[in-house]
Amino acid sequence: YTYGMDAFGKDEMEVLGTDAGPNDLRDFLASLAFYVLENDVELHDGETIGFAEDDKHAITRSLGVGLPEEQMTLKISWESGGYDPDGGTLDGDDEDTLEPSELAEALMEYLDCECTYFPSMKDDDPIMSAYSYARRDAAHEGFVPVLIRADDETLWECLIMNSDPDSDGGDDYAFDPDKVAEYRKKMLAALVQDGKAVLEELIGQRKEEAENDNMDWEKEMIGEITGGIKNDRFASYWDSDTDMTVPLILAKIPVKNPWEIFAWLPFGNWNDCPDTPDLMATAKYWFEQYGAVPAAMNHDELEFLLPAPVPKERAMELAVELYGFCPDVIDQGPEDATVGALADVLRQSTVWYFWWD
């Protein structure tokens, strides 16, 4: 059982009647506790939770058994109950995506690391459970976990264009693993640029664009720190048409530092989306300044996760940097979108969202 969850306003959890090894049981409960606290999740009687698409553990709330005082606890089943006894699929899953597509298989081969595939589903709890569990193990096992859209043809084209341009990456999803490995080695061996300098250059471009459009930088673009909303959940893996997640790959990218994932996943270098060296430099700077790590992506969306929102006194400075890095966070937003409104989001949020048109 857990002890101390009540200090965070959460129910204690128990696993009963299992012959699991102590280490396995400890890791299982520790990962659940980490997920609940990290994401401020409320677990309820009758729900399920799991670490993969076919991993569903039943939750029951009743009077505690193992704890030394009478209290209500959540009983988490050790055995997974993901499939119904009649052979049906997981509740809320899209049957068409239960098995990885040819593209998803090619992406996992390209990634060349440990991957977990998730089909489309109504509830992203299994995804966030697995991601949180991977984050907990990342530092001492030497990888960075990233959620990657598994049905994104354009993402595939971007990866091949940057890392293996001699391959067309066409219908057969062919690529040269040696050339991809050579590209990664080259990017990882290169000296990472000064991220602050990269951002200042990009901000300069935004100021020039505003001037060319006869817009007042301070009054029309910057504005006041107001009008923003809190953002603590990933948005890039949801399909707005179905209200379900898209097929996803949780990849344990075998790099030491978070900014190095862009050497492994070179999705940029088109339109306003920065290229690999700029992505690495900027991500390194933001990690060192704020603890931000790249966490979820497809070909035109990227999300960073932070341990805590940025202080209000730094929010405007950071919002200007984010606008320089990705102008569409303002330019393609509501008509009254300003850098100040973005700053108001940042001072409340642990997820940063980027989108390039």
Side-chain angles (χ1 to χ4, degrees), residues 12-61:
E12 304 294 349
M13 295 180 283
E14 297 182 282
V15 177
L16 307 176
T18 176
D19 59 358
N23 290 340
D24 292 338
L25 187 54
R26 178 200 62 204
D27 289 349
F28 176 71
L29 265 178
S31 63
L32 287 176
F34 180 89
Y35 166 66
V36 168
L37 297 178
E38 176 78 4
N39 298 284
D40 193 23
V41 171
E42 295 292 338
L43 301 180
H44 302 102
D45 184 72
E47 295 180 340
T48 60
I49 191 171
F51 299 117
E53 73 274 10
D54 58 352
D55 181 42
K56 295 277 187 175
H57 301 268
I59 301 171
T60 305
R61 191 174 190 271

Side-chain angles (χ1 to χ4, degrees), residues 187-195 259-260 277 280-282 284-285:
M187 291 295 106
L188 291 171
L191 180 66
V192 179
Q193 303 174 62
D194 181 341
W259 59 87
E260 293 172 332
M280 291 177 67
T282 302
K284 181 176 186 289
Y285 174 73

Side-chain angles (χ1 to χ4, degrees), residues 235-269:
S236 62
Y237 57 58
W238 287 100
D239 185 332
S240 59
D241 293 331
T242 63
D243 290 327
M244 296 179 71
T245 64
V246 298
L248 283 174
I249 296 166
L250 171 59
K252 296 181 177 180
I253 307 297
V255 293
K256 180 181 179 181
N257 301 301
W259 59 87
E260 293 172 332
I261 71 142
F262 296 112
W264 220 261
L265 284 161
F267 80 107
N269 196 27

Side-chain angles (χ1 to χ4, degrees), residues 28 41 81 142 176 209 231 247 278 284 336 343 357:
F28 176 71
V41 171
D176 186 333
E209 292 163 359
N231 180 26
D278 284 357
K284 181 176 186 289
D336 58 349
D357 189 5

Side-chain angles (χ1 to χ4, degrees), residues 268-281:
N269 196 27
W270 54 272
N271 291 354
D272 283 325
C273 187
D275 61 14
T276 299
D278 284 357
L279 286 167
M280 291 177 67

